Amino acid sequence: MKILVTGGTGFIGSHTVVELQQSGYEVVIVDNLYNSTRDVVDAIEQITGIRPGFEEFDLVDEKKTADFFGRHNDIAGIIHFAAFKTVPESVRKPLKYYRNNLISLLNVLDCMKEFNIPYFVFSSSCTVYGQPEKLPVSEASPVQRPWSPYGNTKLISEEILEDMVKAHPLKVISLRYFNPIGAHDSALIGELPVGIPDNLVPYITQTAIGKREALNVYGDDYNTPDGTAIRDYLHVMDLAAAHVVALDRMISGKSKSNYEVFNLGTGKGCSVLEVIRSFEKVSGVKLNYRIVERRPGDVEQVWADTSLANRELGWKAGRDLDDMMRTAWNWEKALANK
Ligand code: WQD
């Protein structure tokens, strides 16, 4: 079966393509290479021995998107990652985020309808929960107006999908990621932030390798055990596997409704300092960091109630924080040797 993976040369997309191929799916990637590079396709082939199909164009371009689907009328399902995802940039440039993330989704959905493609997995985010009242946060927890335009595009996209399945015969699963980190065991693919990383783990590994002078820890005055903010970090390989499980669920007719949502996390919260300690332990590198002011827009603590995904998908994250940091560090060292 052929699966379209939009944004498939990106961080989570590329790891999911590997999992799909190793599960027997044929994959075609569409990516505009705005935040990734073409040589990820080569790396995927090096890992799996199978070269995925790849076309470079922007899904915001309605004509090019329709033309693509016209030439690939054997697509059985879609996993949709293509989106801008930098929270601070979305605050500075909201229209860029609303246009890109929503128009590209609408163009893909139009083609799904026209070509009767029945299954869609959507890359959503725990940012739709904002700062939850109660922790751990479950799928039944109220979504709140996300604090950034990026997060709001994810919430609006989920609402579009919910309305879509009421009008058209297709099945959708939205996966709400917590904090994906780490890299493939081969160190051939991983997180490749363009410019100065906004996210914690690439900033840690770039500091340790000498690309950055020091890590700024954004606040140690939170109401948490060590004062630093808490997140639910999960290994990108565990996350990638969940996408294949979600697709299999729909294809095998196990969906309980046409629109389902699952939290994907470990169910365990880790503070920034705990992440730093884990990195120092697995790398043997003493990290240079300083405590600075809180970052505006950060929530204090969030971690997932993963019981629904465990029960319904039969999926559970199996890799721990040390493994996440070990693979992230191996990836950073591999980048330095390129
Ligand atoms: C994690 C923690 C920071 C950088 C991300 C994505 C978002 C969504 C959820 C997918 C926070 C602290 C960070 C640094 C620091 N994922 N930090 N120094 O903000 O939870 O959001 O995951 O949809 O798109 O951005 O992740 O890695 O930026 O921050 O102290 O240099 O690390 O304050 O507590 P975040 P993050």
Side-chain angles (χ1 to χ4, degrees):
M1 287 181 122
K2 184 193 274 189
I3 305 299
L4 164 62
V5 178
T6 71
T9 53
F11 174 38
I12 301 157
S14 55
H15 290 78
T16 302
V17 170
V18 166
E19 287 294 310
L20 282 166
Q21 290 185 324
Q22 291 176 338
S23 302
Y25 287 102
E26 181 191 350
V27 175
V28 58
I29 293 170
V30 167
D31 203 299
N32 64 2
L33 301 182
Y34 176 86
N35 194 24
S36 57
T37 59
R38 182 181 292 271
D39 59 30
V40 170
V41 182
D42 303 328
I44 290 168
E45 183 181 14
Q46 258 185 286
I47 293 168
T48 63
I50 308 162
R51 189 170 187 80
F54 173 70
E55 293 199 26
E56 176 191 355
F57 67 88
D58 196 331
L59 290 164
V60 171
D61 184 320
E62 189 177 348
K63 193 181 166 319
K64 285 182 180 168
T65 304
D67 170 66
F68 169 84
F69 279 92
R71 287 183 287 105
H72 292 264
N73 51 15
D74 53 349
I75 289 172
I78 298 175
I79 302 184
H80 184 63
F81 294 102
F84 293 153
K85 62 144 210 171
T86 305
V87 169
E89 184 191 35
S90 79
V91 174
R92 291 193 306 273
K93 303 176 183 171
L95 290 183
K96 173 180 175 180
Y97 272 68
Y98 285 114
R99 179 173 295 106
N100 183 72
N101 292 5
L102 298 180
I103 301 292
S104 52
L105 173 68
L106 291 171
N107 286 343
V108 170
L109 293 178
D110 270 336
C111 292
M112 277 194 84
K113 190 160 64 65
E114 191 182 336
F115 292 90
N116 300 310
I117 298 170
Y119 309 118
F120 190 85
V121 178
F122 178 62
S123 167
S124 191
S125 166
C126 64
T127 43
V128 303
Y129 296 115
Q131 173 57 66
E133 297 290 313
K134 210 167 71 61
L135 287 168
V137 62
S138 84
E139 292 81 354
S141 303
V143 295
Q144 302 182 62
R145 176 81 160 68
W147 292 6
S148 73
Y150 157 78
N152 205 28
T153 67
K154 291 299 182 183
L155 183 54
I156 295 168
S157 297
E158 285 198 21
E159 291 166 347
I160 290 169
L161 290 165
E162 272 191 283
D163 288 343
M164 176 85 177
V165 301
K166 290 173 190 156
H168 304 288
L170 73 143
K171 293 210 181 333
V172 173
I173 290 180
S174 283
L175 299 175
R176 290 176 180 166
Y177 309 157
F178 283 68
N179 288 53
I181 60 172
H184 190 266
D185 293 321
S186 65
L188 288 170
I189 53 176
E191 194 167 3
L192 202 54
V194 175
I196 300 174
D198 287 301
N199 292 132
L200 175 65
V201 172
Y203 209 108
I204 287 177
T205 58
Q206 288 190 13
T207 301
I209 204 99
K211 276 180 78 172
R212 309 285 164 208
E213 185 261 331
L215 169 77
N216 290 321
V217 173
Y218 296 135
D220 68 348
D221 57 348
Y222 285 103
N223 182 21
T224 61
D226 67 17
T228 62
I230 292 174
R231 296 289 185 278
D232 185 334
Y233 298 95
L234 79 155
H235 200 292
V236 65
M237 293 298 294
D238 282 330
L239 182 59
H243 290 74
V244 183
V245 171
L247 191 64
D248 289 344
R249 175 184 177 84
M250 293 188 284
I251 291 173
S252 60
K254 292 200 178 77
S255 302
K256 290 196 171 150
S257 77
N258 289 344
Y259 183 75
E260 294 182 297
V261 176
F262 295 99
N263 284 348
L264 297 181
T266 62
K268 181 178 180 311
C270 289
S271 73
V272 176
L273 289 178
E274 284 173 316
V275 174
I276 293 171
R277 297 284 168 264
S278 168
F279 175 76
E280 292 181 326
K281 183 174 73 172
V282 302
S283 67
V285 173
K286 183 96 185 74
L287 191 74
N288 184 21
Y289 68 90
R290 52 181 167 242
I291 307 288
V292 300
E293 286 305 299
R294 294 182 178 189
R295 179 173 66 177
D298 275 347
V299 297
E300 176 177 88
Q301 48 189 314
V302 60
W303 64 91
D305 172 342
T306 61
S307 50
L308 189 67
N310 301 156
R311 185 175 68 249
E312 288 300 324
L313 297 179
W315 171 89
K316 188 166 171 49
R319 304 177 72 149
D320 65 13
L321 185 61
D322 288 353
D323 197 34
M324 298 175 212
M325 301 314 285
R326 185 177 305 110
T327 50
W329 182 228
N330 289 342
W331 165 244
E332 189 67 60
K333 288 187 289 188
L335 283 176
N337 294 333
K338 273 194 176 176

